[in-house]
């Protein structure tokens, strides 16, 4: 299912939105954490100083320190506190020294000290655990809030991208239809705002229109050339018939005229197939008898094997055209032995030559290309015509290389049941 595909665009956008939320939350959380920590330290510092001032006044008045205040010598002070006290001057900062003593996870104290004699110091130690616990609770609250926000942000971001994904999928489907031969397919705009997807759709539609016009021009040119060649060709055939029989030149001329006539007929047939003017006339046909008769009339050394052949509703003339082209191609571009196997509604033609070239296996037959020099020379229209006729029949024609070597072409006249 596309919605659950982790590589889909919606989830990439959702991940980007989640990353942005996490980045913003991290920055805000850091600032809030730092500000809260500084505030806690300032509150602890002020509280400690207040206790020191009160204790110093009490000591000056009574000569005794309050019960919660220690009186120590300078040597008994922690080293950081003693160092800070030594740097203090009563005339400038009152002589009050402080030190934050933190040893996570359970030791957080704010120390304060003030000298009240030559070697007597009032010492205050204030517990900062409450401020630290509050800061930890704040951090956990921020993390929980971010997680809760992500629970809503990620699905909402995925759903918000659905219109974009729908437009992209529509464009991809239309592009595939164009690639499959539906040159009238267009993405369209549907009055949407002018954005990047709309521009891409318009560009694809313009490309499809230009491609359609170019192909239609080529089709008309092919059909016109083939029709124009027919008249002088028929004159050449008639003139060749007047040449004396038995001479080498006569045989050569007639052979080349047959090849030229076959080329013109192939071009005319391809132009009709391209124009979609061909329609199949279906009749019940015993497939084994039809194939055996067609192969026999090719006059080639081709073996026919029959395995449970069926009576198939098809157009026998088009099946004959396909089989003749496949067998002729096997003898012309492959190597013997050539075998035709009929199994159910499937016809397989195999030779023992070098096999089909990779380009043909990948892209299918292309007119005026044989694909590989080792498969001989030719105009490459035979397989193109066979492919077009199979599409008219609603059959499937596939090309592969047999495991033991050689080319294997398979015509499946019942592809849905295969």
């Amino acid at each position: 299912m596309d919605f659950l595909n982790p590589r889909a665009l919606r989830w990439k956008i959702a991940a980007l939105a989640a990353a942005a939320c996490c980045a913003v939350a991290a920055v805000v959380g850091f600032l809030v954490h730092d500000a809260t920590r500084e505030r806690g330290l300032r509150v602890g510092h002020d509280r400690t100083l207040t206790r020191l001032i009160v204790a110093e006044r009490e000591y000056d008045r009574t000569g005794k320190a309050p019960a919660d205040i220690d009186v120590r010598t300078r040597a008994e002070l922690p080293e950081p506190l003693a160092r800070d006290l030594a740097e203090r001057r009563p005339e400038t900062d009152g002589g009050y020294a402080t030190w934050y003593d933190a040893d996570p996870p359970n030791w957080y104290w704010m120390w304060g000290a003030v000298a009240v004699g030559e070697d007597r110091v009032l010492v205050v130690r204030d517990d900062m655990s409450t401020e630290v616990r509050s800061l930890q609770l704040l951090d956990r609250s921020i993390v929980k809030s971010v997680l809760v926000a992500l629970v809503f942000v990620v699905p909402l971001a995925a759903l918000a991208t659905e219109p974009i994904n729908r437009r992209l999928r529509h464009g991809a489907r239309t592009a595939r239809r164009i690639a499959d031969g539906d040159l009238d397919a267009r993405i369209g705009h549907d009055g949407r705002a002018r954005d990047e997807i709309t521009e891409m759709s318009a560009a694809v539609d313009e490309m499809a229109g230009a491609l359609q016009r170019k192909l239609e021009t080529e089709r008309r040119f092919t059909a016109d050339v083939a029709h124009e060649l027919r008249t002088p060709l028929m004159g050449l055939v008639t003139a060749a018939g007047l040449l004396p029989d038995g001479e080498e030149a006569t045989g050569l001329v007639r052979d080349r005229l047959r090849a030229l006539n076959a080329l013109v007929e192939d071009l005319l047939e391809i132009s009709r197939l391209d124009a979609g003017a061909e329609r199949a006339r279906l009749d019940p046909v015993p497939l084994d008898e039809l194939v055996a008769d067609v192969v026999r009339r090719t006059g080639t050394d081709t073996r026919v094997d029959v395995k449970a052949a069926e009576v198939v509703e098809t157009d026998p003339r088009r099946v004959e055209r396909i089989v003749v082209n496949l067998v002729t191609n096997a003898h012309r571009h492959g190597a013997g032995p050539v075998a035709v196997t009929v199994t159910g509604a499937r016809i397989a033609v195999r030779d023992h030559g070098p096999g089909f070239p990779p380009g043909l296996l990948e892209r299918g037959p292309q007119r005026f290309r044989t694909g590989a020099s080792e498969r001989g020379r030719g105009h490459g229209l035979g397989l193109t015509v066979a492919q077009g006729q199979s599409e008219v029949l609603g059959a499937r024609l596939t090309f592969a290389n047999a495991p033991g070597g050689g080319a294997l072409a398979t015509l499946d006249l019942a592809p849905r049941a295969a």
Side-chain angles (χ1 to χ4, degrees):
M1 185 178 180
D2 181 67
F3 187 80
L4 299 178
N5 181 11
R7 294 181 295 178
L9 180 61
R10 61 164 56 85
W11 294 117
K12 293 180 181 179
I13 295 177
L16 182 61
C21 288
C22 291
V24 172
V27 172
V28 173
F30 173 79
L31 295 176
V32 172
H33 173 92
D34 191 62
T36 304
R37 180 178 180 276
E38 291 296 327
R39 180 179 176 277
L41 290 175
R42 189 165 55 253
V43 169
H45 181 270
D46 293 344
R47 186 168 60 235
T48 300
L49 286 180
T50 300
R51 291 180 62 191
L52 274 177
I53 293 171
V54 172
E56 184 183 25
R57 290 175 180 175
E58 178 73 15
Y59 187 85
D60 290 341
R61 188 176 70 252
T62 64
K64 294 181 180 181
D68 60 341
I69 304 298
D70 293 337
V71 180
R72 301 185 185 185
T73 65
R74 291 179 180 271
E76 294 174 332
L77 296 178
E79 192 275 333
L81 183 62
R83 186 172 59 251
D84 189 52
L85 181 63
E87 296 174 355
R88 299 295 175 178
R89 296 291 179 269
E91 62 273 10
T92 57
D93 51 24
Y96 300 108
T98 57
W99 169 51
Y100 181 52
D101 183 13
D103 186 14
N106 298 315
W107 185 274
Y108 303 97
W109 296 93
M110 181 67 74
W111 293 72
V114 63
V116 292
E118 289 295 329
D119 196 33
R120 297 179 69 81
V121 179
L122 298 180
V123 178
V124 174
R125 193 175 66 167
D126 197 34
D127 188 5
M128 296 288 291
S129 297
T130 301
E131 285 76 9
V132 173
R133 299 291 182 268
S134 298
L135 183 61
Q136 293 173 345
L137 287 174
L138 175 64
D139 291 342
R140 284 196 289 269
S141 298
I142 292 175
V143 172
K144 290 179 181 178
S145 300
V146 171
L147 293 177
V148 172
L150 289 178
V151 170
F152 293 96
V153 168
V154 172
L156 287 176
L159 292 175
T161 59
E162 181 56 27
I164 297 175
N165 291 332
R166 188 161 50 245
R167 294 168 64 187
L168 291 174
R169 288 196 300 270
H170 173 65
R173 287 193 300 268
T174 304
R176 292 191 189 98
R177 287 171 56 194
I178 295 172
D180 291 337
D182 185 5
L183 298 181
D184 292 322
R186 296 293 185 272
I187 298 176
H189 309 301
D190 297 336
R192 297 189 181 98
R194 188 74 178 178
D195 55 15
E196 290 81 358
I197 298 179
T198 304
E199 292 180 5
M200 182 195 69
S201 301
V204 172
D205 287 347
E206 291 175 4
M207 179 191 69
L211 178 62
Q212 185 178 28
R213 290 189 295 272
K214 180 178 180 180
L215 290 178
E216 288 177 351
T217 300
E218 291 182 354
R219 288 171 182 171
R220 287 194 298 269
F221 176 76
T222 301
D224 292 344
V225 168
H227 280 291
E228 291 297 326
L229 286 175
R230 273 188 117 179
T231 300
L233 181 59
M234 293 307 298
L236 288 174
V237 170
T238 303
L242 301 177
L243 295 175
D245 297 331
E247 294 187 5
E248 181 178 356
T250 300
L252 181 61
V253 169
R254 291 176 178 175
D255 177 70
R256 292 298 87 197
L257 282 175
R258 282 193 295 269
L260 182 58
N261 185 64
L263 174 59
V264 171
E265 292 299 325
D266 286 345
L267 288 174
L268 286 171
E269 188 167 357
I270 287 176
S271 66
R272 291 194 299 269
L273 291 170
D274 287 342
E278 296 287 295
R279 296 290 183 273
R281 299 179 59 181
L282 304 182
D283 294 302
V285 179
L287 201 57
D288 53 345
E289 297 178 8
L290 173 64
V291 172
D293 181 62
V294 170
V295 172
R296 183 175 60 253
R297 285 188 283 113
T298 62
T300 59
D301 182 16
T302 304
R303 187 179 75 252
V304 178
D305 297 325
V306 178
K307 301 177 182 178
E310 298 178 0
V311 176
V312 181
E313 286 280 342
T314 188
D315 189 329
R317 183 182 68 83
R318 300 184 190 281
V319 173
E320 175 181 352
R321 186 78 164 107
I322 295 171
V323 172
V324 168
N325 283 12
L326 294 179
V327 170
T328 302
N329 183 81
H331 282 281
R332 180 178 298 165
H333 303 297
V338 176
V340 179
T341 304
V342 183
T343 306
R346 184 176 299 169
I347 305 171
V349 180
R350 178 187 176 183
D351 63 50
H352 288 76
F356 290 119
L360 187 144
L361 297 178
E362 179 182 355
R363 296 182 293 272
Q366 296 177 292
R367 60 195 68 176
F368 297 106
R369 288 190 184 179
T370 56
S373 58
E374 63 270 17
R375 284 189 61 82
R377 302 172 61 85
H379 49 70
L381 296 181
L383 295 183
T384 304
V385 170
Q387 184 75 62
Q389 292 291 4
S390 68
E391 293 173 0
V392 174
L393 290 174
R396 182 170 62 229
L397 180 60
T398 57
F399 303 94
N401 288 329
L408 176 64
T410 304
L411 175 66
D412 191 350
L413 294 171
R416 294 180 182 176

